[in-house]
Amino acid sequence: MARLTALAGGIAAALVLTALPVMAHEHPSGITDLVTPAVVRVEAVSHVEITLLDHISELKHVERSYDIPFASGTATVVNPDGTMVALRRLAVNPDDAAIYAANKIFAEHHKVKIPADYEKHKLSDDQLNRHLQDCYPPKSDTATCIINVTTEITAFPNVSPASTEGFKVKCIKAGPDPDSPAVLVPIAPIAGGVGMPTAPLADKVPDQVGAPTSIAGFIGRPGPNVQHSVAIAHLSKGGGAGETGRPFADPEKKVDEPVKLGGLADKGLVGAPVIGDKNGHVIGMLVGGGKEGKMIGVREITGILSQAKVVPRRGAIDTAFEAALTRYHSKYFTEAAPGFQRVLELYPGNVVAAGLLKTSLAKRGGPEDQGTKRAAAEPAGSTPLWPFIVAAAILFLAAGGGAYLLWRRRTPNEPTELPQPPLAAGPPLDLDDGANQTVVVRRSQSFQVVPQQQQVMTAPDPAIKYCTSCGMRLGPAHRFCGYCGHPIET
């Protein structure tokens, strides 16, 4: 019973120690670590190819091409194949790039002053003005310009070394407003069999007023001097859906959070994921700018994904990273280090995993490492095994000895024939007719019960003798008892 109790206690202790990282995972200290590997920088450009048909002096075709940057911000990868969510303003130019190109090519070729903007202008020269108006879209039969506009969107992942070229993506679905969510997919398949890190999406926006959140994104193109930025914010009263969005407000009224976040949106955090404090999942995206930063909720994100027929999911990189992250934030640095190494094998450029691996290796085996403390405490607090081995040996010997004694024991009614003692050398002796013949029985053989024959009761014969030691019947020629070996008194 003692052994079983100790064994049960050891199993219970092992289950408790194993459950520690899982319990700690419910409230990790690095709340943004689950999302930041999936944050990317997005830069959008309108590429315009324009041909000016100059008929004023002599027929001449003037060809130009312009790359007109119109947006930059942050997007979040939600599928290992590289599918990401951003804002419409980061994927669709709200202005007409053809007007910009017409103004620019006319000013360059005819040497006139026309602002390089998205407005239609007029010139004092009637002939030039007529040609300029015919250059503006929409295209007509008398158009003096042939214009082709395409949008090029480049995503720069959060990797090290930083990608200087990024990879091209295209918009497959977008909402109606500039701050509506949009779905972007890579034009070419992502290299590598496991794809990219992804961010988990929450089920809903927290209802609590003042709920803490974190906003992670880029204020510039990722590089050695530009890392992802994280801002703290708190949800205020309001919606969280559609155009209105949900505002932010500091419950302690120390910071004007709408102004702070509006400025960060203008610097490049627009479209950045808003991360809930409970489990580190994405609850929305940062929208707005200027003096008003807001959030659209996760319901709008999942809605546009559903319209685009995209299913957000996690991949092998995320599984390995989350397991290592759980051990890291539980301060099991020795166990966390191999996990981060595995993540880097699957996705070599993971900046967050590389930084956490460096910290894990530095703290491995140190005073903060809970794994080292547990290993050191086990020899002192555990019950030694040798007492259980000795007790088991004693029980085994006792059981064996008891079985041997029971085997040696015989009952008086046992009809087994007894061996006859050896006789002295000489002529053969006449044995009594009533004496049983000697039967040699080996102890290794099983005893056989011989049924006794029914005998006729007669008067006792005075010539029959019995052993005075054990009571065994003797023959007239016996000098020693055939059972116990006791000498016969004559």
Side-chain angles (χ1 to χ4, degrees):
M1 178 61 70
R3 184 181 181 187
L4 293 176
T5 302
L7 181 60
I11 295 174
L15 292 175
V16 170
L17 292 173
T18 305
L20 283 177
V22 178
M23 295 168 60
H25 170 64
E26 294 180 358
H27 301 282
S29 58
I31 199 66
T32 63
D33 290 339
L34 282 175
V35 177
T36 48
V39 174
V40 299
R41 167 83 170 183
V42 174
E43 297 180 358
V45 174
S46 290
H47 180 73
V48 184
E49 295 182 354
I50 183 171
T51 301
L52 174 62
L53 306 177
D54 184 7
H55 296 181
I56 297 178
S57 57
E58 58 182 15
L59 183 60
K60 186 176 182 180
H61 291 182
V62 181
E63 297 181 354
R64 295 284 190 276
S65 63
Y66 303 107
D67 288 328
I68 309 169
F70 67 88
S72 61
T74 302
T76 307
V77 179
V78 295
N79 193 292
D81 64 5
T83 301
M84 59 189 71
V85 289
L87 297 180
R88 178 186 175 90
R89 67 162 81 177
L90 299 178
V92 180
N93 193 342
D95 300 312
D96 194 342
I99 297 177
Y100 179 96
N103 291 334
K104 194 170 181 63
I105 195 172
F106 237 81
E108 292 175 353
H109 178 66
H110 293 290
K111 310 299 181 183
V112 293
K113 292 183 179 180
I114 302 177
D117 56 17
Y118 296 95
E119 300 292 335
K120 293 182 179 181
H121 300 279
K122 293 183 178 181
L123 298 175
S124 57
D125 189 309
D126 293 338
Q127 187 178 20
L128 286 178
N129 183 62
R130 187 177 67 253
H131 281 263
L132 175 61
Q133 300 307 316
D134 289 339
C135 185
Y136 288 139
K139 185 179 179 181
S140 63
D141 295 338
T142 60
T144 57
C145 292
I146 301 174
I147 308 173
N148 182 35
V149 181
T150 57
T151 300
E152 294 183 357
I153 309 172
T154 307
F156 298 90
N158 190 9
V159 296
S160 178
S163 175
T164 57
E165 298 181 356
F167 60 94
K168 302 298 181 181
V169 296
K170 63 180 179 180
C171 179
I172 61 171
K173 191 68 178 180
D177 304 312
D179 282 340
S180 298
V183 180
L184 311 180
V185 297
I187 294 177
I190 298 297
V194 294
M196 297 181 64
T198 68
L201 300 180
D203 296 328
K204 64 177 184 177
V205 177
D207 297 327
Q208 179 185 359
V209 175
T213 64
S214 299
I215 302 171
F218 287 99
I219 59 175
R221 186 177 297 184
N225 300 323
V226 179
Q227 303 295 326
H228 63 267
S229 301
V230 177
I232 305 299
H234 303 81
L235 296 180
S236 179
K237 295 180 181 180
E243 288 184 39
T244 59
R246 184 162 178 177
F248 295 97
D250 183 6
E252 299 182 357
K253 301 186 183 303
K254 294 181 179 180
V255 179
D256 190 350
E257 291 189 350
V259 174
K260 180 187 75 172
L261 296 174
L264 291 175
D266 293 338
K267 292 181 179 179
L269 258 64
V270 65
V274 181
I275 306 165
D277 186 67
K278 182 179 180 181
N279 51 17
H281 292 186
V282 176
I283 62 172
M285 289 192 298
L286 179 64
V287 299
K291 295 183 179 180
E292 189 64 32
K294 293 184 178 182
M295 180 195 78
I296 59 171
V298 68
R299 185 173 300 176
E300 283 65 49
I301 298 175
T302 55
I304 199 67
L305 288 171
S306 177
Q307 295 178 27
K309 298 182 180 180
V310 172
V311 178
R313 66 179 181 88
R314 308 276 277 161
I317 301 173
D318 309 308
T319 302
F321 180 68
E322 191 165 352
L325 194 63
T326 297
R327 292 174 175 84
Y328 177 86
H329 289 300
S330 302
K331 296 186 177 181
Y332 286 80
F333 301 112
T334 300
E335 300 176 4
F340 290 130
Q341 290 175 341
R342 174 58 179 165
V343 174
L344 292 174
E345 291 175 0
L346 296 173
Y347 193 71
N350 195 315
V351 173
V352 181
L356 296 178
L357 173 60
K358 183 178 180 180
T359 304
S360 299
L361 293 175
K363 294 184 177 182
R364 182 176 58 179
E368 297 182 57
D369 193 347
Q370 296 297 324
T372 303
K373 291 181 180 179
R374 184 179 68 177
E378 283 180 354
S382 61
T383 304
L385 188 60
W386 65 267
F388 300 109
I389 298 177
V390 173
I394 294 175
L395 291 175
F396 178 77
L397 293 176
Y404 178 75
L405 292 177
L406 290 175
W407 178 68
R408 287 290 305 269
R409 182 179 178 183
R410 287 185 174 84
T411 59
N413 296 330
E414 191 169 306
T416 305
E417 297 294 337
L418 300 176
Q420 182 177 358
L423 302 177
L429 300 177
D430 294 334
L431 301 178
D432 183 74
D433 294 339
N436 295 329
Q437 294 182 356
T438 302
V439 179
V440 179
V441 180
R442 295 183 181 179
R443 296 189 183 276
S444 60
Q445 299 176 352
S446 59
F447 296 108
Q448 298 179 358
V449 179
V450 181
Q452 294 183 354
Q453 298 179 358
Q454 185 176 2
Q455 299 183 2
V456 181
M457 300 297 297
T458 59
D461 189 354
I464 298 176
K465 297 181 180 181
Y466 298 89
C467 177
T468 59
S469 176
C470 64
M472 182 67 184
R473 181 178 177 180
L474 303 174
H478 286 171
R479 298 180 181 179
F480 298 89
C481 177
Y483 183 77
C484 65
H486 185 76
I488 305 304
E489 296 180 359
T490 58

